[in-house]
Amino acid sequence: MSAKRTPIILLLFMFLTITSSHKYKGNKKLYKPCKNLVLFFHDVIYNGKNAANATSAIVGAPQWANRTILASQFHFGNIVVFDDPITLDNNFHSPSIGRAQGQYIYDTKNTFTAWLAFSFVLNSTDYQGSIQFIGADPIMIKTRDISVVGGTGDFFMHRGVATIMTDAFEGEVYFRLRVDIKFYECW
Amino acid sequence: MSAKRTPIILLLFMFLTITSSHKYKGNKKLYKPCKNLVLFFHDVIYNGKNAANATSAIVGAPQWANRTILASQFHFGNIVVFDDPITLDNNFHSPSIGRAQGQYIYDTKNTFTAWLAFSFVLNSTDYQGSIQFIGADPIMIKTRDISVVGGTGDFFMHRGVATIMTDAFEGEVYFRLRVDIKFYECW
Amino acid sequence: MSAKRTPIILLLFMFLTITSSHKYKGNKKLYKPCKNLVLFFHDVIYNGKNAANATSAIVGAPQWANRTILASQFHFGNIVVFDDPITLDNNFHSPSIGRAQGQYIYDTKNTFTAWLAFSFVLNSTDYQGSIQFIGADPIMIKTRDISVVGGTGDFFMHRGVATIMTDAFEGEVYFRLRVDIKFYECW
């Protein structure tokens, strides 16, 4: 009896060791997403001339700036509200499967850094529901991680991490983000 | 031995099938809330004349708008900061059990859609603590789901989904929201 | 047999009672953090004269206020964007181990209350990653709890509660917050 139990105890011990390294080293390589989505969204900033096509607008700025053109000093302090189309590929003219809605803020004085808080509202045959995102976005770095803090509908109670990449950037008017959403808590 | 094991394997297989349908179809009907709260909050928007009674004010707007009257084009871009009383029923004059504090943004050019980020700060004999909310709010739809992303005090570490209904709407000055908060992670 | 089982049933019953008090009374004293961090961040508000040193600026305000000086009426409605240095102790001149980036809003008309939504972006030998925070901040109370709603890198998928204390406050230009971050979900 005792001889048979030993291996089980060893296995348990190994399991506890792995669990503990999870908890205290944040080694995310040990985790596989329970769901994965790659989506693109397209932001056309209002510049005083493109009201018909714009999907976002500056709505707050520091005292030294205005709300038509992004502020100097790396756009520091600009708050932009957006309602951007979401597509399955990187083509601006592809059918939209939902909207990215929320705000971004430029928040560094000496480089381009943004802070994001927004939702994906998906409405397609494959996905119905919303996903909530928050995080810092150091734009000049190739890939940036933000947090997926909640969801509704098909994404009920989901949490995870989203990796963002600037897929295109055209002057101060258009950019496109690639969002690789990895859910680790799916329900 | 083998004959006895078969049913267990079958059961395991059935269990895995059910688990997998949880994870990939987001079938929230399988879950029951561990806690449920229905509350109302009341928003009186500052319009240039009601400083004494107003509980919210426009603090950001696009270049074409101002901060006294909600912007045209479906209010696109308006950021509103609020500190609204929370009540147990739909009567504005009922005793307040806390405050709804945070911001909402109007973020669509061709219909009324908002984006919400706020906290409930509850301070009553029954509840002491805060609840954090984020989500898109397509105002014209009867019931909308947003995410409950965290809590403190009596709502320590809670997560869930809140269903929002516009319970009253009077011109551009007053609205009342019914919030049905369902916690699925309670601690 | 029956005599032997009784204590187990009693134990089970006690366990269920404790679990239930977890769920319905939010008794956080029963939980120990799986990780704990105490950090400070320093906010220097732009006042029209300190552009070189300022780490934050008013970017939104109600119609009756401006964006150079904090609004009267307890600063109601001011939105401030910040990019503040984070230090391990309360010395403004200590080496920065990261940046606190996001926004705060003053949101009460009759006392000083703020609402916070921001990220810690840590970049030191000890910590690489980001932490996301949301919550109400009743500034005049000595310690306030806000929610930690997500994380990336070393804080992958973490959640918890952060206790905030105003560690220093100098007029309308400088304040320092002590943030005691307790993670209860660590991965």
PDB file of all heavy atoms in Angstrom, chain A residues 123-142:
ATOM      1  N   ASN A 123     -20.662  42.377 -33.230  1.00  0.00           N
ATOM      2  CA  ASN A 123     -22.012  42.099 -33.685  1.00  0.00           C
ATOM      3  C   ASN A 123     -21.923  41.440 -35.057  1.00  0.00           C
ATOM      4  O   ASN A 123     -22.070  42.090 -36.081  1.00  0.00           O
ATOM      5  CB  ASN A 123     -22.796  43.427 -33.754  1.00  0.00           C
ATOM      6  CG  ASN A 123     -24.257  43.193 -34.042  1.00  0.00           C
ATOM      7  OD1 ASN A 123     -24.719  42.042 -34.059  1.00  0.00           O
ATOM      8  ND2 ASN A 123     -24.986  44.270 -34.286  1.00  0.00           N
ATOM      9  N   SER A 124     -21.614  40.145 -35.058  1.00  0.00           N
ATOM     10  CA  SER A 124     -21.474  39.417 -36.317  1.00  0.00           C
ATOM     11  C   SER A 124     -22.113  38.039 -36.141  1.00  0.00           C
ATOM     12  O   SER A 124     -22.605  37.710 -35.061  1.00  0.00           O
ATOM     13  CB  SER A 124     -20.000  39.266 -36.675  1.00  0.00           C
ATOM     14  OG  SER A 124     -19.380  38.348 -35.791  1.00  0.00           O
ATOM     15  N   THR A 125     -22.127  37.229 -37.193  1.00  0.00           N
ATOM     16  CA  THR A 125     -22.686  35.878 -37.041  1.00  0.00           C
ATOM     17  C   THR A 125     -21.840  35.056 -36.067  1.00  0.00           C
ATOM     18  O   THR A 125     -22.356  34.210 -35.349  1.00  0.00           O
ATOM     19  CB  THR A 125     -22.758  35.162 -38.409  1.00  0.00           C
ATOM     20  OG1 THR A 125     -21.536  35.403 -39.098  1.00  0.00           O
ATOM     21  CG2 THR A 125     -23.905  35.705 -39.240  1.00  0.00           C
ATOM     22  N   ASP A 126     -20.532  35.322 -36.015  1.00  0.00           N
ATOM     23  CA  ASP A 126     -19.660  34.542 -35.138  1.00  0.00           C
ATOM     24  C   ASP A 126     -19.616  35.037 -33.694  1.00  0.00           C
ATOM     25  O   ASP A 126     -19.456  34.242 -32.774  1.00  0.00           O
ATOM     26  CB  ASP A 126     -18.232  34.521 -35.702  1.00  0.00           C
ATOM     27  CG  ASP A 126     -18.139  33.660 -36.946  1.00  0.00           C
ATOM     28  OD1 ASP A 126     -18.951  32.718 -37.060  1.00  0.00           O
ATOM     29  OD2 ASP A 126     -17.288  33.934 -37.805  1.00  0.00           O
ATOM     30  N   TYR A 127     -19.703  36.353 -33.498  1.00  0.00           N
ATOM     31  CA  TYR A 127     -19.538  36.895 -32.152  1.00  0.00           C
ATOM     32  C   TYR A 127     -20.583  37.949 -31.820  1.00  0.00           C
ATOM     33  O   TYR A 127     -20.802  38.879 -32.603  1.00  0.00           O
ATOM     34  CB  TYR A 127     -18.146  37.521 -32.004  1.00  0.00           C
ATOM     35  CG  TYR A 127     -17.037  36.528 -32.204  1.00  0.00           C
ATOM     36  CD1 TYR A 127     -16.265  36.549 -33.357  1.00  0.00           C
ATOM     37  CD2 TYR A 127     -16.782  35.555 -31.244  1.00  0.00           C
ATOM     38  CE1 TYR A 127     -15.252  35.619 -33.557  1.00  0.00           C
ATOM     39  CE2 TYR A 127     -15.779  34.627 -31.430  1.00  0.00           C
ATOM     40  CZ  TYR A 127     -15.015  34.661 -32.584  1.00  0.00           C
ATOM     41  OH  TYR A 127     -14.023  33.744 -32.769  1.00  0.00           O
ATOM     42  N   GLN A 128     -21.194  37.795 -30.667  1.00  0.00           N
ATOM     43  CA  GLN A 128     -22.142  38.771 -30.129  1.00  0.00           C
ATOM     44  C   GLN A 128     -21.716  39.062 -28.703  1.00  0.00           C
ATOM     45  O   GLN A 128     -21.774  38.170 -27.853  1.00  0.00           O
ATOM     46  CB  GLN A 128     -23.563  38.177 -30.106  1.00  0.00           C
ATOM     47  CG  GLN A 128     -24.164  37.867 -31.453  1.00  0.00           C
ATOM     48  CD  GLN A 128     -24.740  39.101 -32.134  1.00  0.00           C
ATOM     49  OE1 GLN A 128     -25.015  40.091 -31.475  1.00  0.00           O
ATOM     50  NE2 GLN A 128     -24.902  39.041 -33.445  1.00  0.00           N
ATOM     51  N   GLY A 129     -21.305  40.290 -28.440  1.00  0.00           N
ATOM     52  CA  GLY A 129     -20.925  40.608 -27.070  1.00  0.00           C
ATOM     53  C   GLY A 129     -19.876  41.696 -27.030  1.00  0.00           C
ATOM     54  O   GLY A 129     -19.477  42.230 -28.069  1.00  0.00           O
ATOM     55  N   SER A 130     -19.451  42.028 -25.813  1.00  0.00           N
ATOM     56  CA  SER A 130     -18.479  43.109 -25.675  1.00  0.00           C
ATOM     57  C   SER A 130     -17.267  42.659 -24.867  1.00  0.00           C
ATOM     58  O   SER A 130     -17.331  41.710 -24.082  1.00  0.00           O
ATOM     59  CB  SER A 130     -19.125  44.324 -25.006  1.00  0.00           C
ATOM     60  OG  SER A 130     -19.340  44.078 -23.632  1.00  0.00           O
ATOM     61  N   ILE A 131     -16.144  43.335 -25.112  1.00  0.00           N
ATOM     62  CA  ILE A 131     -14.884  43.054 -24.419  1.00  0.00           C
ATOM     63  C   ILE A 131     -14.338  44.387 -23.913  1.00  0.00           C
ATOM     64  O   ILE A 131     -14.322  45.354 -24.664  1.00  0.00           O
ATOM     65  CB  ILE A 131     -13.854  42.419 -25.392  1.00  0.00           C
ATOM     66  CG1 ILE A 131     -14.466  41.220 -26.131  1.00  0.00           C
ATOM     67  CG2 ILE A 131     -12.582  42.017 -24.654  1.00  0.00           C
ATOM     68  CD1 ILE A 131     -13.599  40.752 -27.321  1.00  0.00           C
ATOM     69  N   GLN A 132     -13.920  44.426 -22.651  1.00  0.00           N
ATOM     70  CA  GLN A 132     -13.414  45.671 -22.073  1.00  0.00           C
ATOM     71  C   GLN A 132     -11.877  45.644 -21.917  1.00  0.00           C
ATOM     72  O   GLN A 132     -11.340  44.655 -21.414  1.00  0.00           O
ATOM     73  CB  GLN A 132     -14.049  45.888 -20.701  1.00  0.00           C
ATOM     74  CG  GLN A 132     -15.372  46.590 -20.730  1.00  0.00           C
ATOM     75  CD  GLN A 132     -16.484  45.862 -21.459  1.00  0.00           C
ATOM     76  OE1 GLN A 132     -16.906  46.232 -22.548  1.00  0.00           O
ATOM     77  NE2 GLN A 132     -16.971  44.770 -20.879  1.00  0.00           N
ATOM     78  N   PHE A 133     -11.215  46.736 -22.334  1.00  0.00           N
ATOM     79  CA  PHE A 133      -9.746  46.835 -22.330  1.00  0.00           C
ATOM     80  C   PHE A 133      -9.278  48.058 -21.528  1.00  0.00           C
ATOM     81  O   PHE A 133      -9.893  49.123 -21.617  1.00  0.00           O
ATOM     82  CB  PHE A 133      -9.225  47.055 -23.748  1.00  0.00           C
ATOM     83  CG  PHE A 133      -9.591  45.999 -24.754  1.00  0.00           C
ATOM     84  CD1 PHE A 133     -10.810  46.039 -25.421  1.00  0.00           C
ATOM     85  CD2 PHE A 133      -8.706  44.970 -25.059  1.00  0.00           C
ATOM     86  CE1 PHE A 133     -11.141  45.074 -26.368  1.00  0.00           C
ATOM     87  CE2 PHE A 133      -9.033  44.011 -26.009  1.00  0.00           C
ATOM     88  CZ  PHE A 133     -10.257  44.059 -26.665  1.00  0.00           C
ATOM     89  N   ILE A 134      -8.162  47.915 -20.824  1.00  0.00           N
ATOM     90  CA  ILE A 134      -7.487  49.049 -20.186  1.00  0.00           C
ATOM     91  C   ILE A 134      -5.988  48.821 -20.226  1.00  0.00           C
ATOM     92  O   ILE A 134      -5.530  47.699 -19.992  1.00  0.00           O
ATOM     93  CB  ILE A 134      -7.873  49.190 -18.697  1.00  0.00           C
ATOM     94  CG1 ILE A 134      -9.349  49.493 -18.537  1.00  0.00           C
ATOM     95  CG2 ILE A 134      -7.083  50.313 -18.041  1.00  0.00           C
ATOM     96  CD1 ILE A 134      -9.743  49.643 -17.085  1.00  0.00           C
ATOM     97  N   GLY A 135      -5.223  49.887 -20.467  1.00  0.00           N
ATOM     98  CA  GLY A 135      -3.788  49.722 -20.349  1.00  0.00           C
ATOM     99  C   GLY A 135      -2.978  50.855 -20.935  1.00  0.00           C
ATOM    100  O   GLY A 135      -3.496  51.708 -21.657  1.00  0.00           O
ATOM    101  N   ALA A 136      -1.696  50.850 -20.601  1.00  0.00           N
ATOM    102  CA  ALA A 136      -0.753  51.832 -21.134  1.00  0.00           C
ATOM    103  C   ALA A 136      -0.261  51.343 -22.494  1.00  0.00           C
ATOM    104  O   ALA A 136      -0.092  50.146 -22.702  1.00  0.00           O
ATOM    105  CB  ALA A 136       0.418  51.999 -20.175  1.00  0.00           C
ATOM    106  N   ASP A 137      -0.045  52.265 -23.406  1.00  0.00           N
ATOM    107  CA  ASP A 137       0.332  51.916 -24.772  1.00  0.00           C
ATOM    108  C   ASP A 137       1.566  52.727 -25.198  1.00  0.00           C
ATOM    109  O   ASP A 137       1.427  53.813 -25.748  1.00  0.00           O
ATOM    110  CB  ASP A 137      -0.859  52.217 -25.696  1.00  0.00           C
ATOM    111  CG  ASP A 137      -0.545  51.927 -27.148  1.00  0.00           C
ATOM    112  OD1 ASP A 137       0.498  51.300 -27.436  1.00  0.00           O
ATOM    113  OD2 ASP A 137      -1.343  52.330 -28.018  1.00  0.00           O
ATOM    114  N   PRO A 138       2.769  52.213 -24.919  1.00  0.00           N
ATOM    115  CA  PRO A 138       3.994  52.901 -25.360  1.00  0.00           C
ATOM    116  C   PRO A 138       4.155  52.722 -26.872  1.00  0.00           C
ATOM    117  O   PRO A 138       4.806  51.783 -27.336  1.00  0.00           O
ATOM    118  CB  PRO A 138       5.096  52.201 -24.571  1.00  0.00           C
ATOM    119  CG  PRO A 138       4.541  50.867 -24.221  1.00  0.00           C
ATOM    120  CD  PRO A 138       3.051  50.967 -24.202  1.00  0.00           C
ATOM    121  N   ILE A 139       3.530  53.653 -27.616  1.00  0.00           N
ATOM    122  CA  ILE A 139       3.324  53.517 -29.067  1.00  0.00           C
ATOM    123  C   ILE A 139       4.582  53.155 -29.855  1.00  0.00           C
ATOM    124  O   ILE A 139       4.509  52.435 -30.850  1.00  0.00           O
ATOM    125  CB  ILE A 139       2.733  54.844 -29.620  1.00  0.00           C
ATOM    126  CG1 ILE A 139       1.404  55.130 -28.935  1.00  0.00           C
ATOM    127  CG2 ILE A 139       2.523  54.785 -31.126  1.00  0.00           C
ATOM    128  CD1 ILE A 139       0.863  56.536 -29.206  1.00  0.00           C
ATOM    129  N   MET A 140       5.752  53.659 -29.432  1.00  0.00           N
ATOM    130  CA  MET A 140       6.972  53.466 -30.213  1.00  0.00           C
ATOM    131  C   MET A 140       7.543  52.051 -30.099  1.00  0.00           C
ATOM    132  O   MET A 140       8.458  51.684 -30.842  1.00  0.00           O
ATOM    133  CB  MET A 140       8.030  54.497 -29.810  1.00  0.00           C
ATOM    134  CG  MET A 140       7.552  55.942 -29.858  1.00  0.00           C
ATOM    135  SD  MET A 140       6.750  56.393 -31.434  1.00  0.00           S
ATOM    136  CE  MET A 140       8.207  56.717 -32.439  1.00  0.00           C
ATOM    137  N   ILE A 141       7.057  51.255 -29.170  1.00  0.00           N
ATOM    138  CA  ILE A 141       7.498  49.864 -29.039  1.00  0.00           C
ATOM    139  C   ILE A 141       6.635  49.010 -29.968  1.00  0.00           C
ATOM    140  O   ILE A 141       5.449  49.273 -30.146  1.00  0.00           O
ATOM    141  CB  ILE A 141       7.369  49.415 -27.559  1.00  0.00           C
ATOM    142  CG1 ILE A 141       8.366  50.212 -26.709  1.00  0.00           C
ATOM    143  CG2 ILE A 141       7.605  47.913 -27.423  1.00  0.00           C
ATOM    144  CD1 ILE A 141       8.204  50.019 -25.225  1.00  0.00           C
ATOM    145  N   LYS A 142       7.252  47.979 -30.575  1.00  0.00           N
ATOM    146  CA  LYS A 142       6.535  47.250 -31.626  1.00  0.00           C
ATOM    147  C   LYS A 142       5.273  46.545 -31.126  1.00  0.00           C
ATOM    148  O   LYS A 142       4.209  46.700 -31.714  1.00  0.00           O
ATOM    149  CB  LYS A 142       7.482  46.235 -32.284  1.00  0.00           C
ATOM    150  CG  LYS A 142       6.969  45.833 -33.661  1.00  0.00           C
ATOM    151  CD  LYS A 142       7.844  44.805 -34.342  1.00  0.00           C
ATOM    152  CE  LYS A 142       7.181  44.330 -35.632  1.00  0.00           C
ATOM    153  NZ  LYS A 142       7.884  43.154 -36.184  1.00  0.00           N
TER     154      LYS A 142
END
